[in-house]
Each structure stands twice: as structure tokens, then as C-alpha cells.
Amino acid sequence: MTSPNPALVRDVEERRTFAIISHPDAGKTTLTEKLLLFGGAIQMAGAVKGRKASRHATSDWMEVEKQRGISVTSSVMQFHYRDHVINLLDTPGHEDFSEDTYRVLTAVDAAVMVIDAAKGVEAQTIKLLEVCRMRKTPIITFINKFDREVRDPLDLLGEIENVLKLQCVPITWPIGMGKTFRGVFSLLKNHLVRFTAGEDRLTEDRELIEGLDNPELDELYPMEMPYVRESIELVQGATDPFDLRKFLAGEQSPVFFGSGVNNFGVEDVLNALVDWAPRPQPRDAGVRMVDPFEDHFSGFVFKIQANMDPRHRDRIAFFRVCSGRYQPGMKVLHVREDREMKIPNALTFMAQDRVIMTDAVAGDIIGIYNHGQLHIGDTLTQGEKLQFTGIPNFAPELFRAARSKDPFKAKQLQKGLQELGEEGAIQVFTGEFGNILLGAVGQLQFEIVAQRLADEYKVDALYESTDVSTARWLSFPDDKTKREFEAEQNARLATDVNGNEVYLATSIYNLETTMKHWPQVQFHTTREMN
Ligand code: GDP
């Protein structure tokens, strides 16, 4: 490689790309809003309030979402903080959309984990952390809602360590909680930041008291201080000091306490992102690793989203830049289709607004208008045949057979499902069995797909139950085994939207029997989407 371009190096070094992971209701949306406030992406506190009040109206683009008051879509927000460009990738909170979240996590370099201090580690947090662990993603932990009656911080740290198997290093420590929440003591800077309630502040006006042994603390908080000192001594005795290398390897997590809704402790998280989280990292592109400082542009699609704006019937492919620099109108190689394509006006996203992107480097996410030519997992380069790896597809657990109510609209149904399948909204299987088979991880996916078929493709879909209970992707040691297996199991085989062969089992027992009969054949529960 020739020596890297200094301007590109500088721009890449400034990037931080992360997602927030949490169980629903832990405070992800609130934290997002406060982070944007610091980044200046939302100029006035009033705008935040307005956004909150109309949150579901603005971010939810579908009727189903409005009815249920949940956010199905993920979006991307870019803002500036301390001379850095921060890309925050939002993830859907509802567990029915966990597949979407897993894919978003392949496009980040770090994650912020939000824990509700009253509830501790919850189910969705466990699942999401597993995905982060697979990729060794560095995690910053924010323990939220200390303005409420919550659990003892020692107890919470113990639970994170035991359940998530993640070494915790508290960087701040809470004093009191609920009505007597006094603030957080910075173990790094050796001062107390006093808590003041209020969500409208634009900056954290910090009132500081230096030193843990400062008698001023005892005067102010005679009830709390003895226990606080004891806890800090205990926790410092029991935990290793913060080690940047361990954090970057995904083995250790710095922990911050606070109250998102009061904008308290949020800036600590943002500073940790800037100071400790990694700049865009090299990525595995199959044939070789791609360095973010390489001059040639490359990246991959990790998400496709339809109808972000109901006035435009468009789909947007979310693309993570992995190297080089995006410039408007540039021509790239669409590796899967082996043809040149032009990236017209790519978009970036400032909170809810779309902005035309004029410049993007590794770590940035661009939105590319898409009429079906881009699939999840697709790689674009400046000529080299690379294929970025690691975007997972999970074996669905719920199945329905779909058919059109109006038999003359079977073609529309097929087209609609093919496109929705490519988008990753649902998994679509076709085979000898006639009706199109749909597979989902969450029940809600079926409802969303029915709604979208009606709205976007003008076809009413009927769902019927099937005898399929689980699916596995197949791989064969040789063609002969493949042909023999196909001849015997023809009725139980299907292909997914990308043409991969899938075995459809009626039960786990059925699956196990077939696996025993065919030890040479591999049955996969996940598949990379490319
Ligand atoms: P999400 O589902 O993770 O996005 O959670 P939200 O940000 O929507 O928060 C869920 C609820 O918890 C909302 O009612 C918030 O107002 C509330 N909440 C968030 N942060 C705090 C906090 O620090 N303290 C208190 N008391 N409530 C909070």
C-alpha cells in the first residue's frame, strides 16, 4: 500500500460509529435524544420536547407502528462532538425485530449498553450482548434511572459480570438514589458531580466537589457518605483497573451511572466514546482485510429500509463505508452482480432529516436510493472483487404459507414478497410445495408484511399455517451427496431469496432424524447474507 493520504487519515481518526443496545424501556430513546442535544444536532431543548411529544408520529412510518406505538425502523444519526464525527446507528427496540438489530451491530465499531438500574440485566440485553461478543465489539455501559428507587450499584455490577460475563470497571459511582440521588463520584477524576434534576439544560452545568475524603461531602451527605466510601473501597478492591486494550478487545466495559431523562451522566458516555472507543476498524472482506485508510472506496449494505418517507415510494440501502472516500456521482463495482453502477445522491441523516451527503469516509453510513438492485450484504468497491463478511441471517422460528386473496394477483404477491425478502423484512422460501413460505423470528413481522403488501403492492395476503417448524441452510461435501439428498428430501427443500438451499423440518425430532441419516450434510442455523 502507498502511504495513506493525510486528509483521509485525519477524517477517519475523527470517526466514532456506535449503536445503543438495551432492553425496551431501559432508556435508549431518551439517551439518544440527550446525546444528540450535546452534539448540537437538536439545537433547542424545546425541539427535543416537541420531538418527544410527536415521537411516534415522526419516526414511525407505518400504520402498524402507530397503532402499537413501537418503533420498527432503525435510522442513522450523525453529529459532531469535540472535533469528532459521531455516527449513531439506532436499533429497533422490539424483540420481533432482533434480526434487524443484529445486522446493524455488524456496521458499528462500538456499542453503548443501557441498563435500567431497577431491573438490571434483561432478556434482550443478553441476546444483543451475545452478538457483540461474537464480534468482540467494545461496550460502554450506562446504568440508567438513578433518580428512581433502584438496586444497589454493587449488586448491579455483580449481575452484569455474572450474567453477561463482562468484566465491569466503574468509572463513576452513584451517591444515593431516587429522592436522595446526590450525584456521581468520578473515580478517574476524583471529584463528585452533584446531581441536579432537569432535562432542558443544554450543557451539563457541573457543580464539582473535589476528593472522596473531602469533609464537605460529609457535611452535605452525612447519611450517604460512609456507605459510599465503603462501596467504592469494595468495588475497587474487587475490580481490575480500566485497561484500554481489554476494552478494545471487548473483554472489559467501563461503567457509568446516571439518569438519562435528567441529562445526567450522559456527557461521560459521550466523552468515553471519543476518548476510548475505536476509530473505524479494518474489516474482513473475504479475500483480505480492508484498512480504513486505503484510498479506494469500499463498503457494504447492512440494512434496507422501505418508505422512510411515505411521500416517496423508495427504498434506501444503508451502506457502511469501510475504506476510501465517497464522492457524489461516483462509479463503483457492484460485486455480486459484477457490473458497474453509479451512486447517485447518497444521503446522510441528521436526526429525522435527510441531507445530501457530499463526503463520507470509513465509519460513515450513507443512504443509497435503491430500486431492488442492492441486497443486504452486498459489497461495492472501486473495482476490486471484495466481499465483506459477517452479516448474519438466522433460522426463522415461525412459519406461515402466504397466498393472495385474489388469485389474479399471485404475481404481485410474488414480486412483493421477493422484494420484502431481499430487504430482510421477512424470510421468503419457495419450493415444490406451491404456496410461498414465510419465515420470521417475531410474530409482528407477519403483520408488518401483510400491511406493506396491501399498501405498497396492492395485494391482500392470506396466511395459512404450515407443518414447517424449523429451517436449516444446507451445505454438501460434494455434488453426488447433494443430488442424492435432493432426490430423497425433495418435498422438504426450498430456496431462500438469494437462491440458497434450505431444509424445512416438521419438528426438531424430524430434523434430528434427517441429520442422523445424512451425517455428511451440514445443517446451519445461521447464514451469512451474501
Ligand atoms: P427505550 O424503550 O429504551 O427507548 O426507552 P425510553 O427512552 O423510551 O424510556 C422508557 C421510559 O423510561 C420513558 O418513560 C422515559 O421517560 C423513562 N426514562 C428514561 N430515562 C429515565 C431516567 O433516567 N429516569 C427516569 N425516572 N425515567 C427515565
Side-chain angles (χ1 to χ4, degrees):
M1 201 176 101
T2 50
S3 68
N5 170 339
L8 182 64
V9 172
R10 185 201 58 215
D11 289 354
V12 172
E13 293 281 4
E14 282 174 0
R15 259 60 183 182
R16 296 289 182 275
T17 301
F18 77 106
I20 303 178
I21 57 173
S22 66
H23 192 85
D25 272 347
K28 182 170 59 101
T29 312
T30 308
L31 183 66
T32 303
E33 285 171 351
K34 303 304 173 193
L35 289 171
L36 290 177
L37 198 63
F38 279 112
I42 299 171
Q43 293 300 338
M44 295 175 305
V48 182
K49 271 195 180 160
R51 193 168 109 76
K52 249 195 128 94
S54 62
R55 196 168 90 204
H56 296 304
T58 54
S59 76
D60 297 354
W61 45 277
M62 279 183 39
E63 281 305 312
V64 179
E65 288 187 315
K66 278 188 219 151
Q67 286 158 12
R68 292 179 179 254
I70 55 166
S71 178
V72 180
T73 58
S74 325
S75 51
V76 177
M77 287 151 273
Q78 188 178 69
F79 59 94
H80 294 254
Y81 182 72
R82 280 181 46 199
D83 293 331
H84 283 70
V85 177
I86 319 276
N87 294 304
L88 167 52
L89 278 57
D90 194 13
T91 52
H94 198 285
E95 63 178 326
D96 279 5
F97 300 99
S98 48
E99 279 205 283
D100 222 15
T101 304
Y102 299 149
R103 291 185 203 128
V104 169
L105 291 177
T106 63
V108 300
D109 300 294
V112 170
M113 171 168 75
V114 183
I115 304 262
D116 182 326
K119 296 186 178 150
V121 174
E122 296 176 84
Q124 191 69 356
T125 322
I126 299 176
K127 277 202 204 165
L128 293 167
L129 203 88
E130 270 168 27
V131 179
C132 290
R133 185 167 293 121
M134 266 160 30
R135 309 183 52 80
K136 297 193 168 54
T137 309
I139 312 271
I140 295 167
T141 303
F142 182 62
I143 304 191
N144 191 25
K145 306 196 184 181
F146 257 81
D147 59 312
R148 283 199 188 158
E149 290 305 319
V150 291
R151 286 166 53 185
D152 187 283
L154 281 171
D155 182 31
L156 286 162
L157 288 191
E159 184 169 290
I160 298 173
E161 295 229 4
N162 290 331
V163 179
L164 300 179
K165 306 274 179 282
L166 184 65
Q167 209 184 82
C168 294
V169 183
I171 306 296
T172 63
W173 196 256
I175 299 187
M177 67 174 70
K179 287 200 174 64
T180 61
F181 182 41
R182 310 301 188 190
V184 294
F185 192 86
S186 168
L187 301 171
L188 215 57
K189 296 182 188 143
N190 196 33
H191 61 214
L192 171 80
V193 184
R194 286 181 76 171
F195 174 68
T196 40
E199 59 175 295
D200 289 349
R201 271 165 311 140
L202 278 177
T203 55
E204 268 183 47
D205 298 327
R206 287 147 146 340
E207 193 186 328
L208 305 179
I209 301 173
E210 298 292 332
L212 190 57
D213 294 326
N214 193 330
E216 202 186 330
L217 288 174
D218 297 279
E219 273 166 43
L220 282 165
Y221 313 125
M223 302 296 284
E224 290 91 353
M225 282 321 291
Y227 182 64
V228 166
R229 289 197 186 99
E230 193 188 312
S231 305
I232 290 180
E233 204 181 307
L234 249 170
V235 78
Q236 287 191 318
T239 55
D240 289 348
F242 178 67
D243 179 337
L244 188 62
R245 271 174 320 173
K246 285 190 179 165
F247 163 65
L248 293 174
E251 294 162 12
Q252 204 187 56
S253 177
V255 179
F256 298 90
F257 293 85
S259 167
V261 80
N262 288 295
N263 200 359
F264 189 79
V266 174
E267 200 170 11
D268 293 334
V269 172
L270 204 46
N271 284 325
L273 271 164
V274 168
D275 293 334
W276 297 332
R279 58 147 167 87
Q281 292 296 292
R283 296 254 160 184
D284 188 348
V287 288
R288 66 178 183 89
M289 295 297 284
V290 170
D291 194 87
F293 303 129
E294 289 179 24
D295 277 336
H296 283 150
F297 172 80
S298 72
F300 64 93
V301 176
F302 62 94
K303 178 182 172 60
I304 291 179
Q305 190 165 305
N307 285 8
M308 298 237 326
D309 181 343
R311 286 167 303 178
H312 305 106
R313 269 192 44 130
D314 53 14
R315 295 205 269 168
I316 290 181
F318 286 86
F319 180 92
R320 151 117 190 181
V321 181
C322 295
S323 66
R325 194 181 284 280
Y326 161 79
Q327 269 143 359
M330 77 190 298
K331 289 198 178 117
V332 291
L333 174 69
H334 184 323
V335 176
R336 181 175 52 81
E337 297 197 336
D338 194 18
R339 67 175 175 85
E340 195 179 73
M341 70 171 259
K342 193 168 154 187
I343 305 182
N345 291 327
L347 302 170
T348 182
F349 306 89
M350 306 291 272
Q352 294 300 319
D353 297 328
R354 301 165 172 211
V355 180
I356 298 288
M357 186 75 134
T358 50
D359 179 50
V361 301
D364 289 337
I365 310 300
I366 58 178
I368 304 175
Y369 282 112
N370 180 28
H371 303 286
Q373 74 275 31
L374 290 172
H375 294 183
I376 292 172
D378 278 347
T379 295
L380 303 179
T381 70
Q382 277 187 305
E384 193 179 346
K385 291 207 167 166
L386 301 170
Q387 176 60 66
F388 289 98
T389 61
I391 306 222
N393 212 345
F394 293 84
E397 286 148 29
L398 304 166
F399 294 87
R400 296 280 181 280
R403 69 179 170 85
S404 165
K405 197 169 169 185
D406 175 353
F408 293 107
K409 289 195 170 173
K411 272 251 145 51
Q412 267 116 304
L413 179 78
Q414 208 173 2
K415 178 172 185 285
L417 286 177
Q418 173 74 23
E419 289 187 10
L420 294 172
E422 286 167 9
E423 202 182 284
I426 200 141
Q427 296 191 38
V428 179
F429 303 101
T430 47
E432 296 285 307
F433 44 80
N435 285 347
I436 302 171
L437 189 70
L438 302 183
V441 174
Q443 182 64 36
L444 208 48
Q445 284 177 269
F446 292 118
E447 289 175 46
I448 304 256
V449 162
Q451 178 98 35
R452 289 189 51 191
L453 285 168
D455 289 352
E456 296 163 36
Y457 299 92
K458 309 290 170 233
V459 44
D460 287 325
L462 296 177
Y463 291 142
E464 287 159 2
S465 58
T466 80
D467 68 347
V468 179
S469 83
T470 188
R472 294 290 182 271
W473 283 278
L474 298 169
S475 58
F476 302 95
D478 50 59
D479 275 352
K480 183 167 168 283
T481 315
K482 184 170 188 286
R483 279 195 307 273
E484 284 170 6
F485 185 84
E486 284 172 354
E488 188 192 290
Q489 297 289 339
N490 192 27
R492 303 237 56 92
L493 294 180
T495 43
D496 70 10
V497 280
N498 292 315
N500 301 293
E501 207 161 14
V502 181
Y503 179 75
L504 304 170
T506 49
S507 63
I508 290 292
Y509 174 75
N510 165 228
L511 174 68
E512 284 173 356
T513 315
T514 312
M515 286 170 75
K516 258 192 217 137
H517 264 90
W518 294 90
Q520 335 74 300
V521 178
Q522 285 186 295
F523 295 75
H524 307 277
T525 49
T526 56
R527 193 184 65 74
E528 284 200 4
M529 302 243 346
N530 39 55

